[in-house]
Amino acid sequence: MVGLVLFVGAAGSWSEVSASSMGKSISLSSVYWIFYKEDFNHLHTEDPALIKQVAAGPGTYVLEQRAGGIRLPRNVIPVQYFFSSAGLQAAIGHHQVIPGVKVVADDLENFAVTPAAERKNPIPALREFGDAARAKGYRSILMPGRDLMRVPGAVCSQRPGTTISQAYLRCGLPTAAAYAPIYVIQAAAVETNLSALRQLVQDGAAQARKANPHALVLATLSVSPNGLYVPASAVAVAAEAIHPYVQGFFINDLRPSDSRMLGFLRALSKS
């Protein structure tokens, strides 16, 4: 995801997120969180008290690709992220895993940096990532992109007349939760269409938990899905819509300085 959600499907109906009521509130310290390091550091600088609530939860993970920069709070978990199993195995082989990191993530996408074989057949590749991580004592997070459903020549892909979310579910990507303790459903691209969002997350979470009853399942949200401008309050509505199906959220953005990320957390905590 590299700090943003790629365009992988239709944005849906904007009117569905303009609900006037927010529903049941979500305590910031009651759920799991994932942030990119740039986002987390900006939020921490802008509102340390609010981020203290976030970090007081059951688990707050911060993704980074290299060591250095502002030191994370003691109770925040650093995660090194990759775009393929091959990338992780190369880092292990060349001793390039960040010292002290105990969790690694696979953001498997339809990117040129990812080997074609992994893009065309992602579930075995995700299993390889989980196995390689576990063999070296790392916990793993799997968060494959729905854009994998549009890879030419893929083992399983989007069919004419169906949505990319339907392909993601039909092809069973969430079953890869069997190979890792944490699985992330990339849902931000449809967050402005609450019915599509609920179906994707509810069905995806059900697949993941059937494959691994112990899996932690999270979903992505963004204030700029597909580059759209989404108010913080609307992202909070989306979070509440899928909260019954997931144990936390992965928040990312186009720009770490975007104040709407902070607004989202504030709106959620006050809903």
Side-chain angles (χ1 to χ4, degrees):
M1 285 176 283
V2 203
L4 61 140
V5 178
L6 296 176
F7 182 76
V8 291
S13 171
W14 170 254
S15 62
E16 290 198 63
V17 298
S18 60
S20 58
S21 62
M22 300 289 290
K24 186 178 180 181
S25 64
I26 302 172
S27 167
L28 296 180
S29 60
S30 68
V31 296
Y32 291 82
W33 295 96
I34 300 177
F35 297 91
Y36 285 100
K37 190 172 184 177
E38 298 88 343
D39 294 338
F40 182 85
N41 286 341
H42 171 74
L43 294 167
H44 193 204
T45 299
E46 292 295 311
D47 196 332
L50 192 67
I51 297 308
K52 185 176 181 180
Q53 294 180 48
V54 169
T60 299
Y61 298 85
V62 173
L63 304 180
E64 56 187 347
Q65 285 191 301
R66 59 189 60 85
I70 300 173
R71 178 172 295 185
L72 296 171
R74 186 172 56 182
N75 55 338
V76 170
I77 304 164
V79 180
Q80 187 169 353
Y81 67 100
F82 301 87
F83 301 111
S84 65
S85 173
L88 171 63
Q89 294 183 60
I92 291 173
H94 292 90
H95 307 287
Q96 293 176 339
V97 177
I98 298 172
V101 161
K102 300 184 184 304
V103 183
V104 292
D106 189 5
D107 185 10
L108 183 60
E109 306 273 352
N110 186 18
F111 291 163
V113 70
T114 302
E118 293 196 38
R119 286 181 278 148
K120 290 182 178 180
N121 200 7
I123 294 179
L126 293 164
R127 180 174 186 171
E128 288 179 5
F129 186 98
D131 288 348
R134 186 167 51 255
K136 291 298 181 179
Y138 300 114
R139 298 180 69 229
S140 56
I141 301 173
L142 302 180
M143 43 190 187
R146 295 181 312 136
D147 63 343
L148 293 166
M149 300 295 92
R150 291 178 172 166
V151 174
V155 170
C156 188
S157 60
Q158 185 178 6
R159 295 172 177 170
T162 65
T163 68
I164 195 169
S165 291
Q166 289 169 336
Y168 172 90
L169 295 170
R170 176 178 55 81
C171 293
L173 254 68
T175 65
Y179 314 125
I182 303 175
Y183 184 85
V184 178
I185 300 169
Q186 290 199 27
V190 295
E191 71 183 29
T192 56
N193 182 333
L194 291 188
S195 61
L197 176 67
R198 285 194 190 96
Q199 182 175 7
L200 170 62
V201 175
Q202 182 177 15
D203 293 352
Q207 282 192 17
R209 293 194 179 102
K210 184 176 181 180
N212 179 3
H214 303 291
L216 295 175
V217 182
L218 285 72
T220 60
L221 293 170
S222 174
V223 296
S224 301
N226 301 335
L228 296 175
Y229 182 96
V230 180
S233 59
V235 185
V237 170
E240 290 176 350
I242 60 175
H243 182 224
Y245 314 116
V246 296
Q247 290 135 300
F249 306 104
F250 178 176
I251 309 302
N252 59 54
D253 186 30
L254 292 170
R255 302 184 307 278
S257 61
D258 197 314
S259 63
R260 285 174 294 153
M261 286 195 298
L262 190 58
F264 158 72
L265 293 174
R266 287 172 174 165
L268 202 64
S269 66
K270 295 175 182 178
S271 62

